[in-house]
Amino acid sequence: MSNSFKDMLPKQKASTKVKRNVLLDVKFIKYTIEVSEYYLLKYPKTITHFFNKK
């Protein structure tokens, strides 16, 4: 499977600002997942309480 973006712009590179923003977004997503996993492991009944609410 080839990368179609490299075919469109073979000589272009992303600027450092774009790279930094993407890495910050990835880091934010990673931390969000870690916090949610910790919360569900520490308090496993919270998810069932949340979904069983009527």
Side-chain angles (χ1 to χ4, degrees), residues 8-54:
M8 292 185 337
L9 302 170
K11 303 286 183 194
Q12 299 292 327
K13 291 191 176 187
S15 68
T16 56
K17 185 177 180 182
V18 171
K19 287 181 183 180
R20 187 181 71 233
N21 288 342
V22 168
L23 290 175
L24 286 174
D25 289 345
V26 169
K27 192 182 292 188
F28 177 74
I29 292 168
K30 179 181 173 251
Y31 288 148
T32 304
I33 291 170
E34 288 176 357
V35 167
S36 65
E37 285 178 348
Y38 175 75
Y39 187 73
L40 290 175
L41 288 173
K42 183 130 176 111
Y43 305 104
K45 291 184 181 179
T46 55
I47 193 81
T48 57
H49 178 69
F50 178 75
F51 284 116
N52 287 334
K53 214 180 235 188
K54 291 184 180 181

Side-chain angles (χ1 to χ4, degrees), residues 1-10:
M1 181 177 222
S2 67
N3 187 349
S4 59
F5 290 107
K6 287 188 178 185
D7 294 337
M8 292 185 337
L9 302 170

